[in-house]
């Protein structure tokens, strides 16, 4: 997967969530691993995040 983008909400360059074309998500501290997500799962994640329905 190429074309990773860092979250604009990251406070600095080391503690970031990155999103890749395809769709995948990874932690910038562990760039060799990522969570692959299909379009439906990515859409559901974004919907939940925007509605503040993610648990911590």
């Amino acid at each position: 997967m190429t074309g990773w983008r860092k979250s604009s909400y990251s406070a600095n360059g080391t503690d970031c969530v990155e999103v890749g074309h395809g769709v995948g998500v990874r932690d910038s501290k562990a760039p060799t691993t990522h969570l692959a997500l299909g379009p439906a799962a990515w859409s559901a994640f974004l919907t939940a995040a925007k509605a503040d329905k993610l648990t911590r």
Side-chain angles (χ1 to χ4, degrees), residues 24-47:
V25 179
R26 71 181 183 183
D27 184 335
S28 63
K29 295 183 296 283
T32 59
T33 60
H34 70 276
L35 175 62
L37 300 171
W42 179 245
S43 179
F45 171 78
L46 290 178
T47 298

Side-chain angles (χ1 to χ4, degrees), residues 31 49-50:
K50 288 175 184 178

